[in-house]
Amino acid sequence: MLLCLFPKLKTSKAVSALREFFRSPFYLALIVLLMAVSEIFGLELVVLYLFVILAACALMVTDDSLATVPIACCGYMTISAPNNTARYPGKTIFNDPHFNVQLIFLLAVGVALLLTRLVLSILQRKPQKRIPRLLSGFLWLGAAYLLGGLFTSYYSGRTMLFAFTQLASLAAFYVYYYYTIDWSSVPKWYMPALFMGIGFGIFAEICGMYALPGVFTADGVDRTALITGWGVYNNVACIMAMCLPAPFYFAVTRKNGFLYQFVGDLFLLGVLLTQSRGGMIFGIIVYLICVIWTLCVTKGREKYNHFVAVMITLGAAMIASSVFSRQIGKLFASVIKMGMDSSNRISIYRACWKKFLQYPAFGVGFYQTPGFGFEYNMNHGAFIPPRAHNTVMQLLATGGIVALAAYAIHRWQTVKLLFGRPTKLKTFVAFSVLALLLTSLLDCHFFNIGPGILYGILLCFAENERKQKKLCSRAMRPA
């Protein structure tokens, strides 16, 4: 934005260096590092200030909003475990008026910066004439959310507000970045590199969860004690699974890419360490799909190297499970104890089906969807309602046939986008989205704000994939 007033600054070596930095892997690594440090050490306010300062600096010296993408993806994962409002109600930083004032200030500054960038993008260059391909599907889905519970006694302003929040989490950044990023200057490696970086950051946060009090007991690890400030072990497993395909993108696009396969192994270990049963099952499925894809896409020496890497991984897993079987049993004690118990999900699905049969057209809205054996009390102050822990059942109970039809339209559009004229980048996005959709079959991730933001940004990058540059940074160039 500063360059609009002083265009000669582009010739400055310092400004040129800053512009290069904000488009480099090192900047991505810095944002991810700040995210992990904030969550592990409880430095939320410091890191949020740094995020806003970095965003302001980047928007001043660059020509688009690309540098804000890592912050948008990482921002909500900065909250530390002691500030988990669900686990410690009334005892977190969000109950501190001074923190809330500063948080509102930072959010206001952030929104002002983004809106200024949007206006300048429209004035500086001709905006894209095409309407985003997925916009109509998002709007149909949003409309169905807003109509959820219509003609019932449950319909209220709160229902509409939460429905709008859902739509915004999915589509706001999708639309914003569609129009404010100069896609011709974006390297194809950017989004896979960001998600691989987030994977390392989340793995660090998973390790941090094991340092929390109450995790290790005489009977083994108690997975219910594994939390962050932005979610419990199930939520962390979803994000870790979404990051899992990222290293496989580099495995098929880089010389000696088999080394990235070992990064994929590390990410799978991270998913397993979350001890989320759904995350573990679907994480393994996504991992196997990525491995098979890698073996199918690579050729010659690279295919052989990947096959050897797979054998090494398999052998190491077999040896570890044999030598450390007792320790592994203690580590996953609570998962083994749970076994195939549904954690009340079956009764939730039955209750959702009953709600759908009562109100088949528009459902009962978000705030009357059954969640783990209790109904939402409209007099209760919580903004986040109980969810069905299954995407289909959630749609049926929340918005009935209308919501399910709108979701089908949106899903068909995403399938056409990702599998029509497929590329390696689109395939990475498809696998990451698949991880979200699969884990949402046993949980409510698709209806959580954080994964929704990641989902919309991934689809935006996939849609603009053909405009992106193959090379933009020496650090990530293929050999």
Side-chain angles (χ1 to χ4, degrees):
M1 295 186 287
L2 187 64
L3 299 181
C4 296
L5 299 174
F6 307 101
K8 291 185 178 180
L9 286 176
K10 281 189 177 182
T11 60
S12 166
K13 291 185 178 180
V15 172
S16 297
L18 277 175
R19 286 163 62 87
E20 179 69 20
F21 169 71
F22 283 122
R23 270 180 150 73
S24 72
F26 305 106
Y27 173 69
L28 302 184
L30 174 62
I31 297 300
V32 170
L33 177 63
L34 289 173
M35 173 196 78
V37 166
S38 174
E39 195 285 324
I40 295 172
F41 298 104
L43 298 175
E44 292 92 338
L45 198 56
V46 174
V47 169
L48 289 177
Y49 268 105
L50 289 174
F51 277 176
V52 171
I53 292 171
L54 286 169
C57 292
L59 292 173
M60 288 292 179
V61 301
T62 59
D63 300 317
D64 64 4
S65 62
L66 181 65
T68 66
V69 171
I71 297 174
C73 290
C74 295
Y76 89 101
M77 294 181 287
T78 59
I79 310 302
S80 59
N83 294 313
N84 186 308
T85 55
R87 185 64 61 92
Y88 308 109
K91 300 179 181 179
T92 71
I93 53 174
F94 297 100
N95 301 107
D96 182 353
H98 300 289
F99 172 82
N100 288 329
V101 168
Q102 294 182 78
L103 178 62
I104 293 172
F105 167 75
L106 291 172
L107 290 174
V109 172
V111 170
L113 288 170
L114 292 176
L115 291 177
T116 303
R117 178 69 266 173
L118 175 61
V119 172
L120 289 177
S121 295
I122 294 173
L123 296 176
Q124 281 181 319
R125 57 179 183 270
K126 293 181 180 179
Q128 297 199 48
K129 295 181 180 180
R130 287 185 58 188
I131 295 175
R133 289 176 58 182
L134 304 181
L135 181 59
S136 62
F138 276 125
L139 292 178
W140 280 113
L141 192 60
Y145 286 171
L146 288 167
L147 294 174
L150 190 65
F151 305 127
T152 71
S153 60
Y154 311 127
Y155 199 65
S156 67
R158 181 183 290 183
T159 301
M160 297 181 68
L161 179 59
F162 186 77
F164 179 79
T165 302
Q166 288 286 299
L167 174 61
S169 69
L170 293 170
F173 281 113
Y174 165 80
V175 175
Y176 179 81
Y177 288 129
Y178 185 89
Y179 289 110
T180 60
I181 288 179
D182 178 10
W183 293 103
S184 64
S185 68
V186 178
K188 289 184 182 292
W189 54 258
Y190 193 90
M191 186 52 62
L194 173 58
F195 267 66
M196 189 165 70
I198 292 174
F200 281 115
I202 298 300
F203 188 89
E205 292 189 10
I206 291 170
C207 294
M209 291 196 303
Y210 279 85
L212 296 174
V215 172
F216 291 96
T217 68
D219 298 324
V221 171
D222 178 9
R223 67 175 187 153
T224 61
L226 296 172
I227 64 169
T228 62
W230 51 272
V232 299
Y233 54 91
N234 287 330
N235 306 109
V236 180
C238 171
I239 303 301
M240 193 76 244
M242 290 182 70
C243 294
L244 205 158
F248 289 95
Y249 169 84
F250 295 107
V252 300
T253 58
R254 300 293 184 263
K255 187 177 181 180
N256 295 323
F258 70 94
L259 295 173
Y260 288 96
Q261 190 166 306
F262 294 121
V263 178
D265 297 341
L266 180 69
F267 286 6
L268 177 62
L269 176 62
V271 174
L272 298 177
L273 288 175
T274 63
Q275 307 219 24
S276 166
R277 290 175 298 165
M280 295 166 75
I281 293 170
F282 295 122
I284 291 172
I285 291 174
V286 172
Y287 171 83
L288 292 176
I289 291 173
C290 290
V291 169
I292 293 170
W293 175 62
T294 301
L295 293 174
C296 291
V297 170
T298 53
K299 299 177 181 179
R301 183 73 179 180
E302 286 296 318
K303 184 187 292 287
Y304 172 79
N305 289 340
H306 282 294
F307 180 78
V308 172
V310 170
M311 292 298 102
I312 291 173
T313 299
L314 183 60
M318 293 175 64
I319 293 172
S321 61
S322 175
V323 175
F324 302 105
S325 59
R326 183 173 173 275
Q327 290 85 347
I328 293 174
K330 293 275 285 186
L331 178 63
F332 295 100
S334 56
V335 174
I336 296 171
K337 183 179 180 180
M338 286 292 296
M340 298 301 293
D341 185 276
S342 69
S343 295
N344 210 30
R345 281 174 172 79
I346 301 300
S347 61
I348 295 173
Y349 302 157
R350 287 172 179 165
C352 286
W353 183 252
K354 184 177 179 180
K355 295 278 189 182
F356 167 67
L357 294 178
Q358 290 175 328
Y359 303 96
F362 296 101
V364 295
F366 282 102
Y367 287 96
Q368 285 299 315
T369 300
F372 280 84
F374 64 92
E375 298 288 342
Y376 187 84
N377 182 355
M378 292 300 290
N379 296 320
H380 193 275
F383 178 65
I384 303 297
R387 268 76 49 84
H389 290 70
N390 175 274
T391 302
V392 175
M393 288 299 174
Q394 180 74 60
L395 291 166
L396 288 174
T398 296
I401 295 173
V402 172
L404 191 62
Y407 179 81
I409 293 171
H410 169 66
R411 187 54 57 227
W412 173 241
Q413 288 184 346
T414 59
V415 169
K416 287 197 299 181
L417 169 67
L418 297 175
F419 294 100
R421 302 173 68 185
T423 63
K424 293 182 176 66
L425 180 60
K426 283 186 178 181
T427 302
F428 147 69
V429 173
F431 290 163
S432 187
V433 168
L434 178 65
L436 171 61
L437 299 182
L438 287 177
T439 53
S440 296
L441 292 177
L442 296 176
D443 222 303
C444 46
H445 305 306
F446 189 76
F447 299 91
N448 284 333
I449 295 172
I453 292 173
L454 297 178
Y455 174 78
I457 293 176
L458 278 169
L459 292 176
C460 184
F461 272 74
E463 182 168 344
N464 292 280
E465 183 268 344
R466 293 193 176 275
K467 305 172 188 174
Q468 298 172 37
K469 296 173 65 175
K470 290 185 179 180
L471 301 176
C472 192
S473 172
R474 293 181 181 178
M476 299 301 292
R477 288 183 181 181

